[in-house]
Amino acid sequence: MQKEDLVRVFVKGGIISPGDFLKMILTANELGAGYIHLGSRQDVLFPLKNKNLETLSRTFQAIDTAYDTDGEEFQNIVSSYPALDVMPTTHWLASHTYHYILDTFDYRPKLKINITDPVQNLVPLFTGNINFVASSIDNYWYLYLRFSEISPKPWAAPDLIYGYDLAKIAKEIEAINPVKSGWKYEEIYQKVKTSLSPNSLKVEHELDYPESNSPYYEGMNRIVGGKYWLGLYWRNNKFTINFLKALCQLCVATNIGKICLTPWKSIIIKGIAEKDRLSWEKLLGKFGINIRHSSLELNWHLPVMDEEALGIKNYLVRALDKQDISTYGLSFSVKTRHMALFTSVAIEKAKKNRPDDPDAFNILYSKDFNPNLSEYFYFVKNVPIETLPPLLIELSYKYYDQLEVPKSPESTDDKPVAHRKHLRKYQCESCLTVYDEKYGDPASDILPGTSFLKLPDSYICPLCENPKSAFKRIDQ
C-alpha cells in the first residue's frame, strides 16, 4: 500500500465523538480497510484500493467531518485538548474554550494551525505554520508564525490575540499566501492587523517556554473526581477495525463523550468511572492490548507508513533495551524524509553521494534538549547504523549533565534558588493546595527548586491525594 492510497480524515483539534468515530471506521471497513493509522497532526488515515467517493462523501457529510483523498492540499487543526485532565494546564483553559474556538474555524485550512497550552507537553507548540499559544491572560493567545521557506525559527507577533479572533487571523494569513508573497513576518502581521483590527493586547511578557519532558500517554491513570483516563499506543500504528469498533461501543455504553487523538499516534479516553474499570480491562484483555510499554518504546515519533523508519526505530529500541540506559525526559524521531521535528533527539538518514553508498545517519539534538526552541545541532554525521546505539547513550549522558540539580536550603550558592531560574506555582483544583517550586514538597522528599514538570507521574496532592494532572499553573 502506497501513501497515495490513503484517505486522510481531519479530526479537528484531535477530538471526535465515539459515534462519529464508529461511523468512520465502519465505512473504512466497508471499503476494504482492516485497520487505521493515526497521523502526527491528530488526523486519521486509512489505506484503500477502492476509494468509493460516493460512500466516503455520504459518511463524512453525516458526521460533518472533512476528509481528503488527493494528497496533502488541506491540513488538520491541532489542539492540546487531549492534554486536559491528563497533564497540568494553564489556569483558564477548559474544555469549552477549545470547543468554542475550534467551532469558529468554518473553512478548510491549507496551512498547518496549532492551538496549544504551553504548560502541557503532549502536543508540540510550533509544528504549525500558524501557532496560537495560550498566555496567562484569560482567552488571549500568543501568535507565532513559522514557514520554513522564510525562517526555520518561529516568529512572535507583538500582540496577544483574543480567542474568538483566532480563526479570522488564520484565514487572513492564508489569503496572503506568505510563501509566495515574499513578505517578511512583520509585513504579514501588519497587513493582517490593518485589515482586521482584531481584539488584541500588547505582549508584556515573552512566552515562558515549558521544560521539555517526553510525555507519558499510556495506561490507566486516575484523574480529578475519582475517574480515570486510558492511553492506548500500538507499536506499528495499525489500530485494527475490530478493536476500534469494540472501543467505540464501550465508550457509548459507559457514557464517554469524546475520544482524543494525540500527535504521538495514540488514543486517549478520558472520564472512565470506577464502576466501569473492569469493563475496560476486559476489553484490553480480549484484544491483547499492552498498556505497559517502556518509556524507551513510547518516546518515538515516526512518519506514517514509513516501514524503513519503523525498522530503524525497532533496531534501536532493541539495541538500547539491552543497555543500562535511562531515556526519561528524552524523545526521539526517525527522519527519512522532510518532516517537522518535535522531539529532543532526531536520527536523520544522511544524503548519499552515490546511489551505491551504504546507508549512513546523522544524530541531531535540540537546543537545551527542548524542541520548542526550534533549533537543532548535529551531534554526529554520516555514521553507520551499528554505531547509533552507543552514540545515543553518549548523548543521553550529555542531556543529564546539562540538567539543573535542585539545591537544598543549606546550599552555599550565593544566589537564592528563586533567582537562578524562573520558579512556578501549581494549584490542585480540588483542595487548592499549592505546589511552589521554590519550596518543593519536603514531606514527599522533593527538594526546593524542583520543577513541577519533572515530578514523577505518580506524584499526588499531599492533602487530597488527587493526581498530578489535577494541578493548574497559577503563577503566569
Side-chain angles (χ1 to χ4, degrees):
M1 190 68 67
Q2 300 298 312
K3 197 170 181 181
E4 52 267 23
D5 296 318
L6 288 175
V7 174
R8 298 176 66 227
V9 184
F10 302 108
V11 179
K12 191 186 290 186
I15 316 163
I16 190 168
S17 72
D20 288 351
F21 199 28
L22 182 59
K23 291 174 184 176
M24 180 198 308
I25 60 178
L26 289 177
T27 296
N29 195 214
E30 178 187 341
L31 296 178
Y35 56 85
I36 68 160
H37 298 289
L38 300 180
S40 60
R41 293 200 61 78
Q42 297 173 308
D43 40 0
V44 171
L45 307 98
F46 51 88
L48 293 182
K49 284 295 186 184
N50 171 30
K51 292 183 181 177
N52 187 316
L53 298 182
E54 182 179 348
T55 300
L56 290 171
S57 179
R58 183 169 59 248
T59 295
F60 291 111
Q61 281 183 7
I63 65 176
D64 191 24
T65 300
Y67 72 100
D68 192 4
T69 61
D70 299 316
E72 299 186 357
E73 180 182 2
F74 297 99
Q75 297 292 342
N76 195 33
I77 301 173
V78 164
S79 86
S80 55
Y81 177 93
L84 275 177
D85 299 323
V86 174
M87 296 180 174
T89 62
T90 295
H91 66 94
W92 55 266
L93 274 174
S95 174
H96 65 84
T97 315
Y98 286 103
H99 282 295
Y100 192 98
I101 290 174
L102 289 167
D103 286 345
T104 62
F105 284 83
D106 57 357
Y107 70 101
R108 294 183 65 185
K110 294 185 177 182
L111 296 179
K112 296 176 181 177
I113 300 169
N114 288 16
I115 302 171
T116 55
D117 178 0
V119 175
Q120 57 81 46
N121 61 1
L122 183 68
V123 179
L125 305 187
F126 301 126
T127 53
N129 304 121
I130 304 171
N131 305 281
F132 298 108
V133 183
S135 76
S136 61
I137 303 173
D138 287 18
N139 212 8
Y140 279 88
W141 301 74
Y142 293 97
L143 167 62
Y144 286 82
L145 302 182
R146 185 185 187 189
F147 294 87
S148 58
E149 298 86 348
I150 301 175
S151 170
K153 297 189 68 174
W155 174 83
D159 302 307
L160 300 175
I161 309 298
Y162 190 57
Y164 304 146
D165 285 339
L166 303 191
K168 292 191 295 185
I169 292 283
K171 191 173 185 178
E172 187 70 14
I173 292 172
E174 191 158 300
I176 290 172
N177 200 335
V179 175
K180 287 189 176 181
S181 72
W183 293 355
K184 297 179 180 178
Y185 288 131
E186 294 86 348
E187 295 171 324
I188 295 168
Y189 178 68
Q190 194 55 49
K191 168 68 174 173
V192 169
K193 189 174 180 181
T194 301
S195 176
L196 296 179
S197 299
N199 185 338
S200 62
L201 298 172
K202 280 291 181 186
V203 172
E204 294 186 1
H205 304 284
E206 292 185 4
L207 175 65
D208 186 10
Y209 287 92
E211 295 182 41
S212 176
N213 281 13
S214 51
Y216 179 72
Y217 52 85
E218 190 184 48
M220 188 75 75
N221 306 272
R222 195 161 70 90
I223 59 177
V224 181
K227 294 189 175 184
Y228 297 84
W229 68 268
L230 172 64
L232 301 170
Y233 161 82
W234 232 309
R235 178 177 284 126
N236 62 3
N237 194 23
K238 291 182 179 179
F239 291 79
T240 65
I241 297 293
N242 287 338
F243 169 68
L244 293 174
K245 284 166 58 177
L247 179 143
C248 291
Q249 290 163 353
L250 185 54
C251 281
V252 172
T254 57
N255 298 313
I256 302 295
K258 301 293 178 187
I259 292 174
C260 297
L261 312 180
T262 84
W264 297 89
K265 302 179 176 64
S266 66
I267 294 173
I268 288 179
I269 311 294
K270 295 186 280 190
I272 297 172
E274 178 68 51
K275 65 181 180 63
D276 297 320
R277 274 192 68 183
L278 182 59
S279 297
W280 284 94
E281 288 169 359
K282 284 183 176 180
L283 175 72
L284 300 178
K286 178 180 177 181
F287 287 91
I289 307 301
N290 177 18
I291 57 171
R292 296 175 181 85
H293 290 96
S294 69
S295 61
L296 178 60
E297 170 70 45
L298 291 173
N299 299 339
W300 289 79
H301 172 250
L302 308 178
V304 174
M305 288 183 66
D306 191 325
E307 293 298 325
E308 181 182 20
L310 181 60
I312 294 168
K313 176 222 171 173
N314 288 340
Y315 166 77
L316 293 173
V317 168
R318 286 194 302 269
L320 292 171
D321 199 40
K322 296 176 183 178
Q323 307 294 323
D324 289 327
I325 176 177
S326 171
T327 59
Y328 179 78
L330 289 172
S331 54
F332 305 86
S333 54
V334 177
K335 183 181 179 184
T336 56
R337 57 178 182 265
H338 176 73
M339 59 186 280
L341 296 176
F342 61 83
T343 58
S344 49
V345 178
I347 294 91
E348 174 185 66
K349 189 174 181 181
K351 292 182 179 179
K352 295 183 178 183
N353 293 323
R354 296 183 300 273
D356 57 345
D357 284 347
D359 288 342
F361 298 87
N362 308 323
I363 299 178
L364 302 89
Y365 64 99
S366 54
K367 182 178 180 181
D368 297 337
F369 291 89
N370 187 339
N372 288 316
L373 300 179
S374 305
E375 189 172 353
Y376 284 82
F377 306 97
Y378 283 101
F379 184 58
V380 294
K381 290 185 178 182
N382 291 299
V383 297
I385 192 169
E386 295 80 10
T387 64
L388 290 178
L391 287 168
L392 290 173
I393 292 174
E394 185 180 339
L395 185 58
S396 74
Y397 296 152
K398 181 181 178 72
Y399 165 66
Y400 290 113
D401 284 344
Q402 59 88 46
L403 290 178
E404 281 197 61
V405 179
K407 300 284 185 75
S408 67
E410 292 78 19
S411 168
T412 57
D413 192 335
D414 59 354
K415 288 186 179 180
V417 114
H419 290 169
R420 286 198 302 273
K421 62 178 182 176
H422 179 61
L423 299 174
R424 308 174 178 95
K425 297 178 183 178
Y426 294 80
Q427 187 172 52
C428 174
E429 60 183 1
S430 290
C431 69
L432 306 184
T433 294
V434 172
Y435 176 85
D436 189 333
E437 293 179 343
K438 179 179 179 181
Y439 301 108
D441 185 353
S444 302
D445 296 323
I446 295 170
L447 292 174
T450 302
S451 164
F452 183 83
L453 297 181
K454 285 190 166 60
L455 297 180
D457 295 313
S458 58
Y459 180 77
I460 60 174
C461 174
L463 183 60
C464 70
E465 298 187 344
N466 259 326
K468 184 179 175 183
S469 60
F471 284 78
K472 287 181 176 284
R473 184 172 164 185
I474 60 172
D475 74 309
Q476 298 176 57

